[in-house]
Amino acid sequence: MQTRSNFSGKLGFVLAAAGSAVGLGNIWRFPYLAAKYGGGTFLLVYLILVVTFGFSLMVAEVALGRKTGLSAIGAFKKLDKRFGFVGVLASIVPMIIFPYYCVIGGWVIKYFFVFISGQKTAAAKDGFFEGFISQPVQPVIWLILFILCAAVIVIMGVEKGIEKASKIMMPILIVLSIGIAVFCITRPGAGAGVAYYIKPSLKGLTPKTVLAAMGQMFYSMSLAMGIMVTYGSYMKKENSLESSVRQIEIFDTLIAFLAGLMIVPAVFVYSGGDAAALGKGAGLMFITLPKVFDSMSMGGVIGVVFFLLVFFAALTSAISLMETIVSILQDKLKWKRLTSSIIVVLFAIALGVPSSLGYGVWGSFQVLGLSILDFFDFVSNSVLMPIVAFMTCIFVGYIIKPKAIEEEVLESGGFKSKKLFEIVIRYIAPIFIILILVSSILDTLGIFKI
Ligand code: PHE
């Protein structure tokens, strides 16, 4: 019988879980959503959701993992046989996300090398990004390189690989984020952009803002995909669960906020105050920002540092996705870590390559009008994750009852927000989650625009 791996202590757990939470979602998605949905209003709505919903769901997931000592499939099944399927659904999410997340991770490595080799002007040219992602071979090589980076760390194990890598990368990530944010907000003319990012505007307060903030929060906190269950199963009983979750939230939100300070004012200055420049989605990071860096004095250096930071953020998230899949294979099939990891690498290449080619030679192949990568993103984020989050609330709120989770939390210290947890898990979260699910599906199918 293998003994379960463990994080060595609370700091190891918090940094590894924060590593999972802080990712591409914080750096490119959060800033443009905030800019699009009323600046400060979005920040405020987001913050309220994090400390209520995000907190409650994360406590539930970590406690489920720690209580059962199992990853998602086993954890749900152990507590109630009928709910084993929730664990199965939760486990499918990282399997869908991991391959395409690595495609984007590969793009990040490419940009890092572009900037380090001094080609900032080339990267700023129109069509550079499209030209790169539509090639058949080059992006696939970067994709494989990124997968291998994640694999090496996962193969080294929980304490020696994941924990150690997080302890090195996460503090560097904080320092780099603060450094770039300070540099960006002190550029001439940046003040108006900062104001645009932070000042609340009432036009931002619509149902759509709340939905957008909620979807972002699930994704950003790595909820509803079994990751926090797996990481919880590696957490020691004596480390405080409530305060760990609070620290992870602060970390995740702080980096998202700083990313906004790096990006919004810079793009604002560059585009001469044109807010539309911020609404470019994925293109913001790979198309608009390189143009911004090219126009800045010292932009070449900032570009290198920025893409290094994004690389760390993406890598620690990819590790958590891979670890979750590996731990499922270990739990279910009793395979060794190395064997499971090799299988996951091959699987990620098999699904990652079509996602990458979907921007080039397979570009005409679309599902529901979406490219292969966008389709995977839609199925995982807009369909499966809300279903898993909803079922988790029902499971905890009505089947095993909040008390089961509370006992687990209390094993390692207090539970100050116990009442809040109960109310959110039983009543508020399930209702709101159904709202996001229905609206996002209708929205994508183009049936109903909110
Ligand atoms: N939380 C990560 C982010 O903000 C995204 C992520 C999703 C990471 C799923 C792991 C798994 O980018």
Side-chain angles (χ1 to χ4, degrees):
M1 171 82 193
Q2 308 171 6
T3 51
R4 199 157 185 84
S5 331
N6 263 314
F7 289 116
S8 67
K10 187 173 166 210
L11 183 69
F13 169 74
V14 170
L15 290 182
S20 169
V22 173
L24 298 168
N26 301 56
I27 300 180
W28 69 262
R29 202 158 179 266
F30 182 86
Y32 91 78
L33 285 178
K36 180 165 167 202
Y37 291 106
T41 316
F42 182 89
L43 296 182
L44 193 67
V45 171
Y46 183 81
L47 210 61
I48 294 173
L49 289 173
V50 167
V51 300
T52 54
F53 275 42
F55 168 79
S56 304
L57 266 159
M58 195 181 271
V59 164
E61 291 196 15
V62 175
L64 280 174
R66 195 172 74 170
K67 191 177 174 70
T68 56
L70 293 170
S71 47
I73 295 192
F76 281 90
K77 197 156 145 208
K78 183 164 175 185
L79 297 172
D80 189 315
K81 280 225 151 23
R82 294 166 303 166
F83 276 71
F85 79 96
V86 183
V88 175
L89 282 183
S91 310
I92 295 176
V93 181
M95 296 183 193
I96 299 180
I97 298 183
F98 182 57
Y100 83 74
Y101 204 82
C102 291
V103 172
I104 306 177
W107 298 348
V108 173
I109 307 188
K110 154 86 181 178
Y111 270 69
F112 175 71
F113 281 108
V114 166
F115 276 89
I116 214 163
S117 58
Q119 304 169 49
K120 71 167 184 161
T121 310
K125 287 240 162 50
D126 281 336
F128 179 84
F129 177 62
E130 292 83 352
F132 161 61
I133 60 171
S134 61
Q135 290 174 31
V137 181
Q138 215 205 104
V140 170
I141 295 176
W142 297 112
L143 155 74
I144 295 176
L145 186 66
F146 186 85
I147 297 179
L148 293 180
C149 294
V152 167
I153 298 173
V154 170
I155 290 171
M156 290 200 293
V158 172
E159 192 180 335
K160 295 213 181 66
I162 301 179
E163 176 171 336
K164 222 184 187 145
S166 309
K167 279 185 169 162
I168 300 172
M169 286 191 269
M170 297 311 286
I172 300 182
L173 195 138
I174 288 252
V175 174
L176 297 185
S177 305
I178 296 178
I180 306 190
V182 169
F183 178 83
C184 290
I185 59 179
T186 48
R187 293 309 87 200
V194 176
Y196 175 73
Y197 176 50
I198 296 181
K199 215 167 84 202
S201 109
L202 273 185
K203 79 163 177 19
L205 197 56
T206 62
K208 201 165 178 184
T209 311
V210 180
L211 291 181
M214 194 155 40
Q216 168 66 10
M217 176 208 72
F218 281 127
Y219 186 76
S220 185
M221 292 176 76
S222 300
L223 295 172
M225 53 187 107
I227 292 183
M228 292 300 160
V229 181
T230 302
Y231 276 19
S233 74
Y234 301 144
M235 185 186 190
K236 290 197 172 135
K237 293 274 185 196
E238 63 264 27
N239 298 144
S240 164
L241 207 154
E242 181 176 34
S243 75
S244 303
V245 170
R246 286 284 180 217
Q247 287 164 6
I248 299 165
E249 277 171 7
I250 294 173
F251 212 119
D252 188 49
T253 309
L254 180 73
I255 298 285
F257 178 72
L258 286 173
L261 283 181
M262 295 177 220
I263 293 174
V264 179
V267 173
F268 208 75
V269 172
Y270 169 79
S271 62
D274 175 15
L278 285 159
K280 293 262 187 302
L284 181 64
M285 195 157 91
F286 295 107
I287 299 172
T288 319
L289 276 182
K291 292 186 197 291
V292 174
F293 293 149
D294 189 43
S295 73
M296 274 180 176
S297 55
M298 285 182 49
V301 181
I302 294 292
V304 172
V305 180
F306 177 81
F307 282 103
L308 180 67
L309 176 160
V310 180
F311 171 66
F312 281 176
L315 186 61
T316 44
S317 295
I319 293 169
S320 73
L321 287 162
M322 178 162 173
E323 174 64 26
T324 302
I325 311 175
V326 166
S327 85
I328 290 166
L329 297 180
Q330 287 183 296
D331 282 359
K332 289 293 296 177
L333 306 172
K334 307 277 175 265
W335 287 350
K336 292 217 172 56
R337 175 168 285 272
L338 182 63
T339 323
S340 312
S341 304
I342 294 174
I343 299 290
V344 176
V345 166
L346 296 177
F347 165 81
I349 295 177
L351 280 191
V353 169
S355 307
S356 178
L357 296 181
Y359 288 103
V361 285
W362 290 359
S364 53
F365 181 78
Q366 296 209 326
V367 195
L368 289 181
L370 299 169
S371 71
I372 304 176
L373 192 152
D374 287 337
F375 175 72
F376 284 143
D377 187 66
F378 169 69
V379 171
S380 50
N381 293 321
S382 306
V383 183
L384 285 173
M385 282 165 64
I387 296 178
V388 173
F390 176 76
M391 293 308 300
T392 307
C393 293
I394 301 299
F395 182 68
V396 170
Y398 300 94
I399 307 292
I400 61 168
K401 303 274 153 65
K403 209 163 174 22
I405 298 292
E406 288 157 20
E407 282 163 10
E408 182 61 36
V409 177
L410 289 169
E411 281 216 14
S412 52
F415 193 3
K416 290 198 216 96
S417 312
K418 196 165 104 184
K419 262 267 93 49
L420 170 85
F421 168 74
E422 280 181 19
I423 297 173
V424 171
I425 281 284
R426 296 191 71 148
Y427 308 108
I428 307 181
I431 298 176
F432 273 84
I433 294 167
I434 285 291
L435 285 178
I436 338 185
L437 176 62
V438 175
S439 66
S440 69
I441 292 182
L442 293 181
D443 196 60
T444 305
L445 297 180
I447 298 177
F448 172 70
K449 290 272 170 235
I450 31 170

